[in-house]
């Protein structure tokens, strides 16, 4: 019974044998989304991290708003929320990577590989499903930040929603870094460790918590090379009502380039076999 369970589950959720790529993506994405609906604990747990980070850092580093180089007239919570949206979108991809390694180990991915399914469809479907979950996370983050911490950005509701949309796009693209790590390492514990190491510089060596002008010269050079910096800068410009077009275009272009390179590596690693 137990041995046959993965095969039966795959038979129910796999695309038809002659399905096109779009049908494959739709069916596989629906399969991943059903897992979220059937276990809402996954959604709740993924939403707690950004909320805890926002609450903690907004209280610990609130005095940064009085430091030289900080944007005048901007409260720290309004400065911080757009950054948390971008970093939480990237961290959501870590869940994608961990879930992917687990499916590689329990035989479901091996079953998919025996079918005429484009390998990239499995990875894209996982990414798309977690992007939906991340969208819910972003909306909840905005609502609770406004209700509990007084988040009132100068860009208003449209600016905040625009920042959330950009954070989703940037996080989805940069998240392929973690998917590529999973496809090449294929060990859940090691993936968590390596992805955690990759997450640290992406989040903390950026403009997430303090302006770049307040950082040492050598660290400003690292911040300038960090692709997450561009997404944080653009999301913040949208939320705060500043000039955002150039920053948004740069953020999307840089993130798309990094994501495309990481996706190519991920598909290549995925094709190596289980």
């Amino acid at each position: 019974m137990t041995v046959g369970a993965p095969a039966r589950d795959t038979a129910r959720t796999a695309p038809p044998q002659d399905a096109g790529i779009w049908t494959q993506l739709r069916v596989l994405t629906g399969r991943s989304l059903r897992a979220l609906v059937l276990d809402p604990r996954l959604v709740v747990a993924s939403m707690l991290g950004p909320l805890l980070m926002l609450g903690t850092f907004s209280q610990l580093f609130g005095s940064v708003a009085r430091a030289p180089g900080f944007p005048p007239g901007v409260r720290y919570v309004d400065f911080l929320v757009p950054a948390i949206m971008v970093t939480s979108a990237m961290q959501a991809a870590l869940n994608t990577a961990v879930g992917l390694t687990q499916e590689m180990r329990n035989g479901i991915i091996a079953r998919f590989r025996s079918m005429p399914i484009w390998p990239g469809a499995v990875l894209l479907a996982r990414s798309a499903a977690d992007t939906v979950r991340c969208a819910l996370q972003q909306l909840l983050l905005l609502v609770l930040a406004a209700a509990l911490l007084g988040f009132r950005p100068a860009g208003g509701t449209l600016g905040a929603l625009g920042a959330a949309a950009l954070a989703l796009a940037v996080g989805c693209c940069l998240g392929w870094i973690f998917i590529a790590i999973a496809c090449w390492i294929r060990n859940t514990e090691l993936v968590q460790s390596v992805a955690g190491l990759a997450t640290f510089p992406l989040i903390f060596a950026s403009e997430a918590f303090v302006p770049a002008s307040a950082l040492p010269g050598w660290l400003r050079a690292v911040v300038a090379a960090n692709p997450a910096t561009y997404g944080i800068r653009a999301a913040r410009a949208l939320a705060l009502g500043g000039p955002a077009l150039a920053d948004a275009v740069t953020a999307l272009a840089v993130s798309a380039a990094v994501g495309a390179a990481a996706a190519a590596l991920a598909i290549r690693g995925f094709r190596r076999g289980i």
Side-chain angles (χ1 to χ4, degrees):
M1 296 289 291
T2 303
V3 173
R8 289 197 302 271
D9 175 73
T10 306
R12 289 195 302 267
T13 58
Q17 295 293 309
D18 58 347
I21 290 177
W22 291 112
T23 301
Q24 295 174 22
L25 288 174
R26 177 177 56 80
V27 174
L28 294 172
T29 301
R31 171 185 171 274
S32 297
L33 287 174
R34 280 192 294 274
L36 296 179
V37 174
L38 293 175
D39 192 355
R41 295 173 299 176
L42 294 173
V43 180
V44 174
S46 67
M47 290 180 177
L48 287 178
L51 294 174
L52 290 174
M53 183 179 291
L54 177 60
T56 301
F57 283 104
S58 64
Q59 301 304 310
L60 286 177
F61 298 145
S63 59
V64 171
R66 298 189 294 271
F70 194 85
V74 176
R75 299 179 309 148
Y76 188 68
V77 66
D78 296 338
F79 178 85
L80 181 62
V81 169
I84 296 296
M85 289 193 292
V86 175
T87 57
S88 64
M90 289 190 300
Q91 287 175 311
L94 179 56
N95 298 325
T96 304
V98 172
L100 187 61
T101 57
Q102 290 173 341
E103 290 190 342
M104 287 178 181
R105 296 175 69 173
N106 66 19
I108 293 177
I109 297 297
R111 175 62 175 164
F112 283 151
R113 288 173 56 84
S114 68
M115 300 178 179
I117 299 175
W118 177 51
V122 178
L123 305 182
L124 284 169
R126 291 285 320 196
S127 178
D130 280 318
T131 299
V132 173
R133 177 175 62 179
C134 188
L136 298 176
Q137 182 187 73
Q138 300 282 358
L139 291 176
L140 181 63
L141 180 65
L142 287 174
V143 170
L144 293 183
L148 302 179
L149 299 174
F151 177 56
R152 300 291 188 275
T157 302
L158 288 179
L161 291 176
L166 186 134
L168 277 176
V170 170
C172 180
C173 290
L174 297 184
W176 280 91
I177 295 173
F178 304 115
I179 296 175
I181 290 173
C183 289
W184 284 92
I185 294 180
R186 300 164 181 266
N187 179 282
T188 303
E189 293 78 12
L190 188 56
V191 164
Q192 289 176 316
S193 298
V194 174
L197 290 175
T199 301
F200 187 85
L202 283 172
I203 294 177
F204 292 99
S206 68
E207 293 183 350
F209 304 109
V210 295
S213 59
L215 299 174
W218 67 270
L219 188 52
R220 285 200 296 270
V222 176
V223 168
N226 185 350
T229 293
Y230 300 97
I232 292 169
R233 190 179 295 164
R236 188 169 284 148
L238 285 166
L240 298 181
L245 180 59
D247 287 332
V249 171
T250 302
L252 293 173
V254 171
S255 300
V258 173
L265 285 174
I267 294 173
R268 182 178 177 183
F270 188 75
R271 281 175 167 162
R272 291 185 307 147
I274 305 299

